[in-house]
Amino acid sequence: MILWMVKIQTKYEYPDVADKVVEARNIKQSVKRGRTIFQKEGCYRCHKPDKRDGFIRGVTNRVSREWLFQFIRDEASLIKNNDSIVLALKEIYNWANGKHDKKHLTDQDLTDIVNYLDSF
């Protein structure tokens, strides 16, 4: 009986310690994959987050991940729909060229890229 009670208390006292260790490892791997995809897709030619790129650093603090996924996948559709954020980018940075056309990237690929960008 006592062993059973200790088992229950231990289970509920520290429920997510192992999960956090696994999660940290997964995030580290995701960042690594994101860096590889970012470079392979040619994003680094224009965006240099390690060099304090103005817009791309901390981007997830300013826009939602969903919007960012849409922007990376199909920027032209956002331009066509007169998206307010894209219009602001065009005004501030003097660009909104529709060149972000990465429809082949999966949600996992995009998540890895965003985790890479969040690592700075």
Side-chain angles (χ1 to χ4, degrees), residues 59-73:
V59 70
T60 56
N61 295 329
R62 294 185 300 276
V63 297
S64 71
R65 283 181 179 246
E66 293 79 18
W67 183 90
L68 194 55
F69 283 19
Q70 176 66 29
F71 182 75
I72 294 168
R73 279 196 178 125

Side-chain angles (χ1 to χ4, degrees), residues 22-60:
V22 171
E23 183 178 313
R25 190 176 318 131
N26 288 342
I27 290 292
K28 206 172 190 179
Q29 290 170 346
S30 177
V31 167
K32 193 181 236 184
R33 285 191 310 265
R35 180 175 186 255
T36 301
I37 296 166
F38 192 81
Q39 292 174 339
K40 182 180 134 199
E41 291 296 323
C43 305
Y44 196 78
R45 284 181 289 193
C46 298
H47 306 290
K48 296 179 176 38
D50 56 335
K51 305 285 187 205
R52 299 194 183 268
D53 187 338
F55 178 74
I56 206 137
R57 284 189 88 149
V59 70
T60 56

Side-chain angles (χ1 to χ4, degrees), residues 4-120:
W4 177 74
M5 288 174 57
V6 170
K7 195 180 234 185
I8 289 175
Q9 286 177 342
T10 305
K11 179 181 176 186
Y12 292 106
E13 191 172 341
Y14 306 106
D16 61 351
V17 171
D19 291 342
K20 287 183 181 176
V21 172
V22 171
E23 183 178 313
R25 190 176 318 131
N26 288 342
I27 290 292
K28 206 172 190 179
Q29 290 170 346
S30 177
V31 167
K32 193 181 236 184
R33 285 191 310 265
R35 180 175 186 255
T36 301
I37 296 166
F38 192 81
Q39 292 174 339
K40 182 180 134 199
E41 291 296 323
C43 305
Y44 196 78
R45 284 181 289 193
C46 298
H47 306 290
K48 296 179 176 38
D50 56 335
K51 305 285 187 205
R52 299 194 183 268
D53 187 338
F55 178 74
I56 206 137
R57 284 189 88 149
V59 70
T60 56
N61 295 329
R62 294 185 300 276
V63 297
S64 71
R65 283 181 179 246
E66 293 79 18
W67 183 90
L68 194 55
F69 283 19
Q70 176 66 29
F71 182 75
I72 294 168
R73 279 196 178 125
D74 190 12
E75 178 188 357
S77 70
L78 293 173
I79 293 169
K80 182 180 170 187
N81 294 329
N82 291 322
D83 181 80
S84 61
I85 299 171
V86 171
L87 294 176
L89 288 172
K90 186 174 186 171
E91 188 175 312
I92 294 168
Y93 296 103
N94 197 26
W95 66 266
N97 54 19
K99 290 187 178 181
H100 295 99
D101 185 21
K102 307 289 184 186
K103 291 179 180 84
H104 61 281
L105 294 178
T106 65
D107 283 346
Q108 183 61 55
D109 292 340
L110 293 172
T111 298
D112 294 340
I113 289 171
V114 171
N115 286 340
Y116 168 64
L117 296 176
D118 279 347
S119 71
F120 291 95

